[in-house]
Amino acid sequence: MDQPAYPASRDLAFNLTGGPAGATPATLAALGRPVLHHLDPAFGALYQRTAELLQQAFGTRESPVILPGEAVVGLEAAAASLIGPEDIVLNLVSGLYGRGYGAWAGRYAREVIEIEVPYDSAVSASAVADVMRVRPDITVVSVVHCETPTGTVNDLDAISAVAAEHDALLIVDAVSSFGGIRCDFTTWQAGLVVTAPQKCLGGTPGLSLLHVSEAAWARMEANPAAPRGSALSILDWRDAHLADRPFPFTPPVTDIYGLHSCLEQYLSEGAEAVLRRHQAAARAARAGAEALGLTLWARDPLVRSDTVTAVRMPDEIDEQDVRALARADSGVMLSGGQGDLARIVLQIGHMGTGAFPLGAVIAVTALGRALRSLGARADIGAAVEAAVSALDA
Amino acid sequence: MDQPAYPASRDLAFNLTGGPAGATPATLAALGRPVLHHLDPAFGALYQRTAELLQQAFGTRESPVILPGEAVVGLEAAAASLIGPEDIVLNLVSGLYGRGYGAWAGRYAREVIEIEVPYDSAVSASAVADVMRVRPDITVVSVVHCETPTGTVNDLDAISAVAAEHDALLIVDAVSSFGGIRCDFTTWQAGLVVTAPQKCLGGTPGLSLLHVSEAAWARMEANPAAPRGSALSILDWRDAHLADRPFPFTPPVTDIYGLHSCLEQYLSEGAEAVLRRHQAAARAARAGAEALGLTLWARDPLVRSDTVTAVRMPDEIDEQDVRALARADSGVMLSGGQGDLARIVLQIGHMGTGAFPLGAVIAVTALGRALRSLGARADIGAAVEAAVSALDA
Amino acid sequence: MDQPAYPASRDLAFNLTGGPAGATPATLAALGRPVLHHLDPAFGALYQRTAELLQQAFGTRESPVILPGEAVVGLEAAAASLIGPEDIVLNLVSGLYGRGYGAWAGRYAREVIEIEVPYDSAVSASAVADVMRVRPDITVVSVVHCETPTGTVNDLDAISAVAAEHDALLIVDAVSSFGGIRCDFTTWQAGLVVTAPQKCLGGTPGLSLLHVSEAAWARMEANPAAPRGSALSILDWRDAHLADRPFPFTPPVTDIYGLHSCLEQYLSEGAEAVLRRHQAAARAARAGAEALGLTLWARDPLVRSDTVTAVRMPDEIDEQDVRALARADSGVMLSGGQGDLARIVLQIGHMGTGAFPLGAVIAVTALGRALRSLGARADIGAAVEAAVSALDA
Amino acid sequence: MDQPAYPASRDLAFNLTGGPAGATPATLAALGRPVLHHLDPAFGALYQRTAELLQQAFGTRESPVILPGEAVVGLEAAAASLIGPEDIVLNLVSGLYGRGYGAWAGRYAREVIEIEVPYDSAVSASAVADVMRVRPDITVVSVVHCETPTGTVNDLDAISAVAAEHDALLIVDAVSSFGGIRCDFTTWQAGLVVTAPQKCLGGTPGLSLLHVSEAAWARMEANPAAPRGSALSILDWRDAHLADRPFPFTPPVTDIYGLHSCLEQYLSEGAEAVLRRHQAAARAARAGAEALGLTLWARDPLVRSDTVTAVRMPDEIDEQDVRALARADSGVMLSGGQGDLARIVLQIGHMGTGAFPLGAVIAVTALGRALRSLGARADIGAAVEAAVSALDA
């Protein structure tokens, strides 16, 4: 054939990545609304309504913060705002994002203690409890709920209880979990949770969505080094959703349109239905990948994420080649290994608009075709059968 | 009447503000393109092409930087990246943004020297030369090209020559000038210039567009305190437009679509034609406002911006009321006074998609109707005649 | 200047024509919804809902018909379906559309009687009564409510009463009146009314919207020559909105999306508020045009339409040149004379999205600039003042 | 589960029907361009350019006609315009559309002769030749290229040669073939061909796209009964694409935007590449359906269409139930049987945007899941394997 079915010049057909994971047509249509001035009353009303919808989605008593900047901005801002030179941070590391958070924590903390586990596993609550017993001076616990590159989850329900018991402030990266995996910020007594629209909510990258507890606000206000008058300031945006409060600077108007739209869709579908949709898609992806002949990266079923599945490539097969072929021949975009996992592990995303019944069928077909092109074996038929059976399980 | 023609629930008809200043239908359509994963080859190609178009628009030899985050992020990042504890910064203050920059400079510099002039005037190059003669240890000059809240411009052609003569690094805020007022980054020998899509280019707020000279890059790399691994890091994004370079984090995909589209339109219209369009709109706005009976904030015609016109309200008239009525009755959104100018001065924007022949007619009609509603005099007929005459001048 | 502000390659800024008259951003966004198969349940639900909204807008007991094809299709289909070789049609002619309808009626009727009046006036109900008294064998009365090319209206309230008295079937062309001028299909006892989305409703051209009375349905069914299995068949589409009824052929899916959206907006704004908006815009357009020095085509204020204003050009001035200049220099599109009025009369549309407070200001400014360019006098200032005053009258 | 994955309130995920077959995001974005007045110079330029692109796509010397109204309007108009009381029409019937055309031909012709074959087969050129030898007075041959409901094609290359030999005017319904199956209007010496945007071109329903030969134009002009001043008039639209020619009535502006966009995409992809894409999708659909355990409706491989595949349901299984489940559980919309084939046969569309590599995988998975839900056997794994193998054949 002269050229692949999907050359780079042609948009992909299926975004089955670890995010940005695509948006519905309704969300895309919302992005085209004329760009209002941020002080226009119509924008003010929309912004306020969006904050209310987000609070509904969060299920919290506190108003959330919509911080301009992709999720990493919210994560960095959380460290800068909440961690001070008196703090001893326990940072849990079960993947690259956890490792990265340690660096941010280290900029501001007196000391950072880490529990690191192999990246195909999770940090256990008992390990956390052990460390906290030994080091009762720990003031902050930071943890990534779902590690996208490896598709693993830490058990926040258990870990949060340990942190709460020791009165440590809990900082959670729920960027690729919220909306796809049950998150109960209130029961967790989480101090600060960061999530984002472009994963399970089907929005655009460009915003950090923050839950901040009353205790965390108090701490932030008491922290003289917490950013103010800065892109990293959470405090600046605390009251932005209140009528007649000026924005600290121009918010990304278009991203707010998108967030408003995808929150409406999320709430209309219903949090429980959205979770079930992610669970079904995840079951299908895992079953399909295994039946295809691949090994799931995380061996323990309990640590596998419902939003993204990491799979190990057969020996001699470079995941970059697999993904390039899946994109070129089948129009399917997958995510790739990062860090040590580059060339070894790839991810099938099933989050947000990527979490739909036939997603796994599409993914395993694209993967299977690519593997075969590279000379590897792949039982596509069995994979699809397994995916389909898992859907109805 | 039961309710105004344009209640808050209804979008405005005309965005004649100091920015975000609206977008063309073509740009809005571009925003609705499906959200690609940032590592998708189609997105990579688009990003690279966008950086090339931006370089063409900048007219520079160096590749520009597209930094995620609204313009203030670029401005803060410039200070954080380029100003160190050895630096003595000369910050020029002719308005609120200049004043604000002093605070950022002060965070990082050994010393900040300021030349402040009344906000209805501009800093003269000779004043800069005088200070630099006295303080040859000045290493950085920071200046705002156009002060949006007051519609005034500093003469960058002259000021840049002085800075260059003293080998000082020049940091320019060209956010609300680039695209509407001639900017020659190369002749200026500017170290770093920050601009943004949502003003004269007709894009969305959410990106900082940076020109960085080779000298500035060298300085940044030599600065151990320059942000790295941070939302404020310019260094992280230096090579993001190169093929096969990973993005430091997920760029705001949708904003890039918009930027690509509005740059294509800008280059297709032609830089000179765009400047003429802004000049004509500015002439009309000034003439119209004066004929309406209002006083232009900047008395010296040479300091008046071609992108925004600040006008003083009659005594006893609060500009907030005027703007609320212009929005409610005429569907025209204008910008308001900030800081000391609140309630006294408002701005008619004529930038980007707001710079069009009948813009001034629409603005003065809306203003005149609002003023009359508040009991003030306003000669709308004369104002429109003056605006129309100025267009063809 | 090298080229006009608005070359043909650049979209206009203001559509102030007699229709298609533009659409709101919300309607335009609706058009981009993925093209569903017409038998998809989601499309079925939308179609049914759209028919319900249309019935609400019509304020009728009967379900309306959404006939594929621009308004002329509905008009031709009405003649073909309702007029048979036994019929004697009284066709009222006060403009080009009325004249045109006579030709359609003549194809099917035994005899067509016409009352024709000068095109700057309207057919009086008493003239209709006179003819009907003399010719009690008239079975059908056909009438154009608003003649777009001349901006005149026939008094349907009075004329319909005469037709009803004589038990004649009333066929009404309300294409450029419905939504902008009060239409009471039920009180009129109208047999069939044709309107369309692209005028006062702010939709797209491509659909005929029909009210058909029970009596008219009976007549149509009894007419063996009424089109069936044809693009001109109204009967085929009678039940298309009912669940589980197949469409006779594929409806224009995208136009239905647009119609649904603009009906939602119409009903949300409220019929009375929409009428007031059109009245204000019409007052302003008339006052502005007269103050500009132009003569309104219809001398009798009672026959002037609230949806479009026809104005006579000064001697020696060709309206085609005026419109070309208004488009090129001001970005304002107006409508032109047709038939005998070509080159003499132009129309300022103020219908649908073109009916907004500053519309007249924009129109007279563009007209004035164009007239001046052609060497004619035009008092733009006075025109704008008059328009503004009329708005608040 | 409380409710299906895809309730009616939720848009489908995949439009794999016999058309309207969906549109690309680029085409959908084009639909949202502001609604221009049809006489606006920007619309004139676009219309002219669209006609040129269509001529390029048709590969003809003659300018095509863009007739407002879905394809059936073009088909009816062709009969009304070209068939007169002197004509003897040979109408070929191999499916429902062919049968329908006989009715239209019969309205206008002196006599209609038909060759009807079972709907799972095609009319052979030799049968046509036989009849034409016996009836040399035949003046018109009408034929459907691809019968959508049964997925069968008549061999136009051979049939057209027979018609040409006898100097009969050839009328072709290429609605669901053009763009997916090779069509050579010039070699065919076709008098009139009707196609449409919403099938293989990925546009919206609402337009008929006509190729008319010089001979057919001459005939039409000579036909006093050819519609003029009517929605069915082809003559009225003959010169609509010429600069400065008025449109007979307002064209569906938005559909023209869509047509322009999808023609640009079609020509950019290239006619040959588009054909190959359809062929691959068709191979996969057929192989997949058979491996699923279903019987292809058309037993002769030579009569199977590359744009749509009709498959027979297992005994006791109603295709309506299958399609409802495929839509509800898998988000896949398929087309259903019509006429005698209702409840027995369904169609998998693979035309336009529905012709893509994984389309067949998605279709057979959805079908298989639905069949299993209804208690039937379906080997999904084998079906997917077969589809995938066929892709690369």
Side-chain angles (χ1 to χ4, degrees):
Chain A
M1 225 184 301
D2 311 16
Q3 62 169 13
Y6 295 88
S9 61
R10 189 166 170 206
D11 271 18
L12 81 175
F14 305 99
N15 183 337
L16 298 176
T17 67
T24 64
T27 304
L28 295 174
L31 297 172
R33 181 174 172 185
V35 176
L36 292 170
H37 190 266
H38 53 296
L39 300 180
D40 190 281
F43 184 74
L46 180 89
Y47 191 91
Q48 227 178 313
R49 176 82 187 125
T50 304
E52 286 165 12
L53 294 176
L54 183 58
Q55 186 177 344
Q56 268 182 261
F58 278 0
T60 50
R61 278 183 314 272
E62 298 87 354
S63 289
V65 173
I66 302 171
L67 187 74
E70 202 263 351
V72 294
V73 177
L75 292 166
E76 183 184 2
S81 300
L82 285 173
I83 301 175
E86 308 304 311
D87 283 310
I88 297 173
V89 176
L90 173 60
N91 183 50
L92 309 185
V93 183
S94 57
L96 285 172
Y97 284 92
R99 177 153 63 178
Y101 209 79
W104 278 327
R107 275 192 203 154
Y108 307 102
R110 187 170 76 198
E111 184 184 349
V112 176
I113 300 163
E114 294 200 325
I115 304 179
E116 183 160 15
V117 296
Y119 289 3
D120 55 354
S121 65
V123 178
S124 70
S126 63
V128 177
D130 288 348
V131 172
M132 294 197 82
R133 212 170 303 115
V134 177
R135 290 292 304 262
D137 53 349
I138 288 170
T139 55
V140 175
V141 174
S142 56
V143 55
V144 175
H145 193 192
C146 168
E147 280 282 351
T148 319
T150 42
T152 54
V153 287
N154 286 306
D155 180 353
L156 251 295
D157 292 336
I159 291 169
S160 64
V162 177
E165 201 178 317
H166 288 78
D167 275 328
L169 183 89
L170 183 68
I171 299 178
V172 181
D173 171 346
V175 175
S176 59
S177 62
F178 180 77
I181 302 172
R182 194 176 303 279
C183 292
D184 187 339
F185 302 166
T186 303
T187 306
W188 291 351
Q189 302 182 44
L192 193 148
V193 185
V194 179
T195 189
Q198 79 272 22
K199 303 277 186 172
C200 303
L201 294 175
T204 57
L207 294 172
S208 294
L209 310 177
L210 271 58
H211 164 68
V212 186
S213 72
E214 284 306 320
W217 280 124
R219 202 176 168 117
M220 220 183 284
E221 275 162 357
N223 177 9
R228 288 168 176 86
S230 168
L232 291 173
S233 176
I234 299 172
L235 285 167
D236 287 359
W237 287 87
R238 178 170 190 175
D239 294 330
H241 64 286
L242 298 180
D244 304 323
R245 293 297 174 100
F247 294 107
F249 59 85
T250 309
V253 169
T254 294
D255 292 295
I256 301 295
Y257 296 160
L259 177 60
H260 176 262
S261 175
C262 67
L263 286 170
E264 275 192 330
Q265 294 168 64
Y266 172 83
L267 292 167
S268 148
E269 186 175 356
E272 289 304 316
V274 174
L275 287 178
R276 278 198 306 271
R277 175 160 58 79
H278 281 84
Q279 286 156 1
R283 283 195 311 265
R286 288 175 209 135
E290 289 198 306
L292 194 65
L294 300 174
T295 309
L296 300 188
W297 170 253
R299 269 157 308 176
D300 179 357
L302 289 177
V303 309
R304 294 175 186 155
S305 172
D306 280 347
T307 61
V308 58
T309 294
V311 292
R312 192 187 279 271
M313 288 299 100
D315 290 344
E316 315 292 312
I317 298 287
D318 185 331
E319 57 88 12
Q320 296 195 4
D321 299 335
V322 174
R323 287 189 295 118
L325 286 166
R327 173 65 169 76
D329 293 334
S330 302
V332 175
M333 183 72 190
L334 302 163
S335 288
Q338 294 178 31
D340 294 346
L341 304 185
R343 304 187 172 275
I344 298 171
V345 164
L346 60 73
Q347 300 105 45
I348 304 167
H350 31 81
M351 54 174 70
T353 60
F356 62 100
L358 297 201
V361 170
I362 291 162
V364 295
T365 302
L367 274 175
R369 293 181 76 204
L371 288 166
R372 288 180 185 177
S373 289
L374 294 167
R377 289 195 172 181
D379 192 340
I380 298 177
V384 169
E385 283 288 0
V388 162
S389 301
L391 272 183
D392 303 317
Chain B
M1 224 182 303
D2 312 14
Q3 61 169 13
Y6 294 88
S9 61
R10 189 165 170 207
D11 270 17
L12 83 176
F14 306 100
N15 183 336
L16 298 176
T17 67
T24 64
T27 304
L28 295 175
L31 298 173
R33 182 174 172 183
V35 176
L36 292 169
H37 189 265
H38 54 295
L39 300 179
D40 190 281
F43 184 74
L46 180 90
Y47 191 90
Q48 227 177 314
R49 177 80 187 126
T50 304
E52 286 164 14
L53 294 176
L54 182 58
Q55 186 177 345
Q56 268 181 259
F58 278 1
T60 51
R61 281 182 312 272
E62 299 87 353
S63 288
V65 173
I66 301 170
L67 188 73
E70 202 263 350
V72 294
V73 177
L75 292 166
E76 183 184 3
S81 299
L82 285 173
I83 300 173
E86 308 304 311
D87 285 309
I88 297 173
V89 176
L90 174 58
N91 183 51
L92 310 185
V93 183
S94 58
L96 285 172
Y97 283 91
R99 178 154 62 180
Y101 209 78
W104 278 327
R107 274 191 203 156
Y108 307 101
R110 188 170 74 199
E111 183 184 351
V112 177
I113 300 165
E114 295 199 326
I115 303 179
E116 183 160 14
V117 296
Y119 288 4
D120 56 354
S121 65
V123 177
S124 70
S126 63
V128 177
D130 288 349
V131 171
M132 295 198 82
R133 212 171 302 118
V134 178
R135 291 292 303 263
D137 53 348
I138 287 170
T139 54
V140 174
V141 174
S142 56
V143 54
V144 176
H145 194 192
C146 169
E147 282 282 350
T148 319
T150 42
T152 55
V153 287
N154 286 307
D155 180 353
L156 250 296
D157 292 335
I159 291 168
S160 65
V162 176
E165 201 179 316
H166 287 80
D167 276 329
L169 183 91
L170 183 67
I171 298 178
V172 181
D173 170 347
V175 175
S176 59
S177 62
F178 180 76
I181 302 172
R182 194 176 303 279
C183 292
D184 187 338
F185 302 166
T186 303
T187 305
W188 290 351
Q189 301 182 47
L192 193 148
V193 185
V194 179
T195 187
Q198 78 272 24
K199 303 278 185 168
C200 303
L201 293 175
T204 56
L207 295 171
S208 294
L209 310 177
L210 271 57
H211 164 68
V212 186
S213 72
E214 284 306 321
W217 280 125
R219 202 176 168 116
M220 220 183 284
E221 276 161 358
N223 178 9
R228 288 167 176 86
S230 168
L232 290 173
S233 177
I234 299 172
L235 286 166
D236 287 0
W237 287 87
R238 178 171 189 173
D239 294 331
H241 64 287
L242 298 179
D244 304 324
R245 294 297 173 99
F247 294 107
F249 58 85
T250 308
V253 169
T254 293
D255 292 296
I256 301 295
Y257 295 161
L259 177 61
H260 176 263
S261 175
C262 67
L263 285 170
E264 275 193 330
Q265 294 168 65
Y266 172 84
L267 292 166
S268 149
E269 185 176 356
E272 290 303 316
V274 174
L275 287 178
R276 278 199 305 273
R277 175 159 58 80
H278 280 84
Q279 288 156 1
R283 282 195 311 267
R286 289 174 208 135
E290 289 198 306
L292 194 64
L294 300 174
T295 309
L296 301 188
W297 171 252
R299 269 157 308 175
D300 179 357
L302 289 177
V303 309
R304 292 175 186 155
S305 170
D306 281 348
T307 60
V308 57
T309 294
V311 292
R312 191 188 279 273
M313 288 299 101
D315 290 345
E316 316 291 313
I317 298 286
D318 185 331
E319 58 88 14
Q320 296 195 3
D321 298 334
V322 174
R323 287 189 294 118
L325 286 166
R327 172 65 169 77
D329 294 333
S330 302
V332 175
M333 182 71 189
L334 302 163
S335 287
Q338 296 178 28
D340 293 347
L341 305 185
R343 305 189 171 273
I344 298 172
V345 164
L346 60 74
Q347 299 105 45
I348 305 168
H350 31 81
M351 56 172 69
T353 59
F356 63 100
L358 297 200
V361 169
I362 291 162
V364 295
T365 302
L367 275 175
R369 292 182 76 203
L371 288 166
R372 289 181 184 175
S373 290
L374 295 166
R377 289 194 173 181
D379 192 340
I380 298 177
V384 169
E385 282 288 0
V388 163
S389 301
L391 273 182
D392 302 318
Chain C
M1 227 184 302
D2 312 16
Q3 60 169 12
Y6 294 88
S9 61
R10 190 167 169 205
D11 271 18
L12 80 175
F14 305 100
N15 184 336
L16 298 177
T17 68
T24 63
T27 304
L28 295 174
L31 298 172
R33 181 173 171 183
V35 176
L36 292 170
H37 189 266
H38 53 296
L39 300 180
D40 190 280
F43 184 74
L46 180 89
Y47 191 90
Q48 225 177 316
R49 176 81 186 126
T50 304
E52 287 164 11
L53 294 176
L54 183 56
Q55 185 176 344
Q56 267 183 261
F58 278 0
T60 51
R61 280 182 312 272
E62 299 88 353
S63 289
V65 173
I66 301 171
L67 187 73
E70 202 262 351
V72 294
V73 178
L75 292 166
E76 184 184 1
S81 300
L82 284 174
I83 302 175
E86 308 304 312
D87 284 310
I88 297 173
V89 176
L90 174 59
N91 183 49
L92 309 186
V93 183
S94 57
L96 285 171
Y97 283 92
R99 179 154 61 179
Y101 209 79
W104 279 326
R107 275 192 202 153
Y108 307 101
R110 187 169 77 198
E111 183 185 349
V112 176
I113 300 164
E114 294 200 327
I115 304 178
E116 184 160 14
V117 296
Y119 289 3
D120 56 353
S121 64
V123 178
S124 69
S126 62
V128 176
D130 288 348
V131 172
M132 295 197 82
R133 214 170 301 117
V134 177
R135 290 291 303 263
D137 54 349
I138 287 169
T139 53
V140 174
V141 174
S142 57
V143 54
V144 176
H145 194 192
C146 169
E147 280 283 350
T148 320
T150 41
T152 55
V153 287
N154 286 307
D155 180 353
L156 250 296
D157 291 335
I159 290 169
S160 63
V162 177
E165 203 178 316
H166 288 78
D167 275 328
L169 184 89
L170 183 68
I171 299 179
V172 182
D173 171 346
V175 175
S176 58
S177 62
F178 179 78
I181 302 173
R182 194 177 304 279
C183 291
D184 187 339
F185 303 166
T186 303
T187 305
W188 290 352
Q189 302 182 47
L192 193 148
V193 185
V194 179
T195 189
Q198 79 272 22
K199 303 278 186 171
C200 303
L201 293 176
T204 58
L207 295 172
S208 294
L209 310 178
L210 272 57
H211 164 69
V212 186
S213 72
E214 284 307 320
W217 279 125
R219 202 176 169 117
M220 221 183 285
E221 276 161 357
N223 178 8
R228 287 168 177 84
S230 168
L232 291 173
S233 176
I234 299 171
L235 286 166
D236 287 0
W237 287 87
R238 178 172 189 174
D239 294 331
H241 63 286
L242 298 180
D244 304 323
R245 293 298 173 99
F247 293 107
F249 59 86
T250 308
V253 170
T254 295
D255 291 296
I256 301 294
Y257 296 160
L259 177 61
H260 177 262
S261 175
C262 67
L263 285 170
E264 275 193 330
Q265 295 167 65
Y266 172 83
L267 292 167
S268 148
E269 186 176 355
E272 290 303 316
V274 174
L275 287 179
R276 278 199 306 272
R277 176 161 58 78
H278 281 84
Q279 287 156 0
R283 283 195 311 266
R286 290 176 208 135
E290 289 198 307
L292 194 65
L294 300 174
T295 310
L296 300 188
W297 171 252
R299 269 158 307 176
D300 179 358
L302 288 177
V303 309
R304 293 175 185 154
S305 171
D306 280 348
T307 61
V308 58
T309 295
V311 291
R312 191 188 278 274
M313 287 300 100
D315 290 344
E316 316 292 313
I317 298 287
D318 185 331
E319 58 88 12
Q320 295 194 5
D321 298 335
V322 174
R323 286 189 296 118
L325 286 167
R327 173 65 168 78
D329 293 334
S330 301
V332 175
M333 183 72 189
L334 302 164
S335 289
Q338 295 178 29
D340 293 346
L341 303 185
R343 303 189 173 272
I344 297 171
V345 163
L346 61 72
Q347 299 105 45
I348 305 167
H350 31 82
M351 55 174 67
T353 61
F356 62 100
L358 297 201
V361 169
I362 290 162
V364 296
T365 302
L367 275 175
R369 292 182 76 202
L371 288 166
R372 289 181 184 175
S373 289
L374 294 167
R377 288 194 175 181
D379 192 341
I380 299 177
V384 169
E385 283 288 0
V388 163
S389 300
L391 273 183
D392 302 318
Chain D
M1 227 182 306
D2 312 15
Q3 61 170 14
Y6 294 89
S9 61
R10 189 166 169 206
D11 271 17
L12 81 175
F14 306 99
N15 182 337
L16 298 176
T17 68
T24 64
T27 303
L28 295 175
L31 298 173
R33 182 174 171 185
V35 176
L36 291 169
H37 190 266
H38 53 297
L39 300 179
D40 189 281
F43 184 74
L46 180 90
Y47 191 90
Q48 227 178 314
R49 177 81 187 126
T50 304
E52 287 165 12
L53 294 176
L54 183 57
Q55 186 177 344
Q56 268 182 259
F58 277 1
T60 51
R61 279 183 313 272
E62 299 87 353
S63 289
V65 173
I66 302 170
L67 187 74
E70 203 263 351
V72 293
V73 178
L75 292 166
E76 183 184 4
S81 300
L82 284 173
I83 300 174
E86 307 304 310
D87 284 310
I88 298 172
V89 176
L90 174 58
N91 183 51
L92 309 185
V93 183
S94 57
L96 286 172
Y97 283 92
R99 178 153 61 179
Y101 208 79
W104 278 327
R107 274 192 204 155
Y108 306 101
R110 190 171 73 198
E111 183 185 349
V112 177
I113 300 164
E114 295 199 327
I115 304 178
E116 183 160 14
V117 296
Y119 290 2
D120 56 354
S121 65
V123 178
S124 70
S126 63
V128 176
D130 289 348
V131 172
M132 295 197 82
R133 214 172 300 117
V134 177
R135 290 292 303 263
D137 54 348
I138 287 171
T139 53
V140 174
V141 174
S142 56
V143 54
V144 176
H145 194 191
C146 169
E147 281 281 352
T148 319
T150 42
T152 56
V153 286
N154 286 307
D155 180 354
L156 250 296
D157 291 335
I159 290 168
S160 64
V162 177
E165 203 179 315
H166 288 77
D167 275 329
L169 183 90
L170 183 68
I171 298 178
V172 182
D173 171 346
V175 175
S176 60
S177 62
F178 179 77
I181 303 172
R182 194 176 302 279
C183 292
D184 188 339
F185 302 165
T186 303
T187 304
W188 291 351
Q189 301 181 48
L192 193 148
V193 186
V194 179
T195 188
Q198 80 272 22
K199 303 278 185 169
C200 303
L201 293 175
T204 57
L207 294 172
S208 294
L209 310 178
L210 271 56
H211 164 68
V212 186
S213 72
E214 283 307 320
W217 279 124
R219 201 177 171 115
M220 220 184 284
E221 275 162 358
N223 177 9
R228 287 168 177 85
S230 168
L232 291 173
S233 176
I234 299 172
L235 286 166
D236 287 0
W237 286 87
R238 179 172 189 174
D239 294 331
H241 63 287
L242 298 180
D244 304 324
R245 293 297 174 99
F247 294 108
F249 59 85
T250 308
V253 170
T254 294
D255 292 295
I256 301 295
Y257 296 160
L259 177 60
H260 176 263
S261 175
C262 67
L263 286 170
E264 275 194 330
Q265 294 167 65
Y266 172 83
L267 292 167
S268 149
E269 185 174 357
E272 291 303 316
V274 174
L275 287 178
R276 278 198 306 272
R277 176 159 59 77
H278 281 83
Q279 287 156 1
R283 283 195 311 267
R286 289 174 208 134
E290 289 198 306
L292 194 64
L294 300 174
T295 310
L296 300 189
W297 171 253
R299 268 157 307 175
D300 179 357
L302 289 177
V303 309
R304 292 175 187 155
S305 170
D306 280 350
T307 60
V308 58
T309 294
V311 292
R312 191 188 278 272
M313 287 301 99
D315 290 345
E316 315 292 313
I317 298 286
D318 184 331
E319 58 88 13
Q320 295 195 6
D321 298 335
V322 174
R323 287 188 296 117
L325 286 166
R327 172 67 169 77
D329 293 334
S330 301
V332 175
M333 182 73 191
L334 302 163
S335 288
Q338 296 178 29
D340 293 346
L341 305 184
R343 303 189 172 274
I344 299 171
V345 164
L346 60 73
Q347 300 104 45
I348 304 168
H350 31 80
M351 55 173 70
T353 60
F356 63 100
L358 297 201
V361 170
I362 291 162
V364 296
T365 303
L367 275 175
R369 292 181 77 202
L371 288 166
R372 289 180 184 176
S373 289
L374 294 167
R377 287 195 176 181
D379 193 339
I380 298 177
V384 169
E385 282 288 0
V388 162
S389 301
L391 272 182
D392 302 319

